[in-house]
Amino acid sequence: MKLLIIIIFSVFPFLVLGQNGTTVHARVIDGDTVPEITLSSFQISAKRTWKSKADYNRFKRLEKKVVKVYPFAHLAAQKLEDYAKQLEQVESEKEKKKFYKRIEQEIKEEYEGELRKLTISEGRILIKLLDRETGNTSYSLVTELRGKFSAFFWQGLARVFGHNLKSEYDPDGADRDIEFIVKRIEAGLIKI
C-alpha cells in the first residue's frame, strides 16, 4: 500500500502538469482519466546515403540550386494568391489588362535582375518549383496572365534553352531529390 501511494504521488504531478509546467487537458474514457497532449509535427527520414562521392557532390550542387531558387517560387505563389484576390474585384477586360500590365511591371522592376542571373539548370528547377508551389505549370500561368500567343512564344524560347514550361513537378519520381530538399527547407533544417 505504501508503494502504491508513493507511485501515485510521484506520477500524478506529471499527469497534471506538462513537461514545461503547463496544464495538460484530460478526457475521461470508460471511467479512466487519460491526459491529452498535442505534439508539434515532425518528419522522420532515414539518413541519406550515396553510391559514390560523385553522387553526393551532384546532390549538394542540386541542394545549393534549390536553396537559391525556392524563395522565388514561394514568393511567386504568395503573389499569385494576392493578385487573384485583387483580380476578383476587377470587372472589365480593359481594367484586367491594365492590372496585368501593372503586375508585370512591378515584378520586372523588383526581380528581373536577380532572375536573369540564374543558370539554365536553376531556371529548370524554378519552373518545377513554380508548379509545386502554385499547382499550375509555368505555361498555364503565362497563358492565364499574358494570353495563348505569348505563352506559345515563351514556350518556344524556353525550348531553345532546354526548358519546357509545360513540365510538371513529380515529387515521387524525377523530382524526388528536389522534394527532399524543399521539405528540409520547410522544416527549417536548411537555412535560406
Side-chain angles (χ1 to χ4, degrees), residues 40-104:
S40 58
S41 63
F42 59 92
Q43 183 179 356
I44 299 173
S45 61
K47 184 176 180 183
R48 294 286 307 252
T49 58
W50 289 268
K51 294 179 182 176
S52 67
K53 182 76 170 165
D55 287 344
Y56 173 76
N57 290 338
R58 196 173 301 116
F59 178 81
K60 291 309 271 184
R61 283 192 304 273
L62 177 66
E63 182 179 71
K64 184 178 178 184
K65 291 173 184 179
V66 171
V67 166
K68 182 176 180 181
V69 299
Y70 177 74
F72 292 118
H74 188 66
L75 185 67
Q78 289 176 337
K79 284 200 175 278
L80 280 173
E81 193 174 302
D82 293 342
Y83 292 146
K85 290 176 186 174
Q86 293 174 19
L87 193 60
E88 289 174 0
Q89 299 169 356
V90 177
E91 294 176 9
S92 72
E93 284 297 316
K94 187 176 181 181
E95 288 179 27
K96 283 183 182 181
K97 286 186 179 186
K98 284 183 181 179
F99 182 74
Y100 286 140
K101 291 281 187 191
R102 184 175 55 87
I103 290 171
E104 184 179 350

Side-chain angles (χ1 to χ4, degrees), residues 26-36:
R27 179 185 297 184
V28 177
I29 302 174
D30 297 328
D32 288 334
T33 304
V34 180
E36 287 184 342

Side-chain angles (χ1 to χ4, degrees), residues 12-23:
F12 183 73
F14 295 109
L15 294 177
V16 175
L17 297 176
Q19 291 179 351
N20 58 0
T22 60
T23 304

Side-chain angles (χ1 to χ4, degrees), residues 68-69 72 104 107-120 122-123 126 154 157 161:
K68 182 176 180 181
V69 299
F72 292 118
E104 184 179 350
I107 292 172
K108 274 185 181 179
E109 289 173 3
E110 196 167 344
Y111 303 106
E112 185 176 27
E114 294 175 57
L115 291 173
R116 285 190 182 269
K117 294 177 186 175
L118 296 179
T119 64
I120 291 174
E122 289 168 347
L126 180 58
W154 288 109
L157 187 62
F161 291 101

Side-chain angles (χ1 to χ4, degrees), residues 128 168-181:
K128 295 281 190 162
E168 295 182 357
Y169 187 73
D170 182 15
D172 298 322
D175 302 319
R176 187 178 68 239
D177 286 339
I178 294 174
E179 181 69 14
F180 178 78
I181 295 165

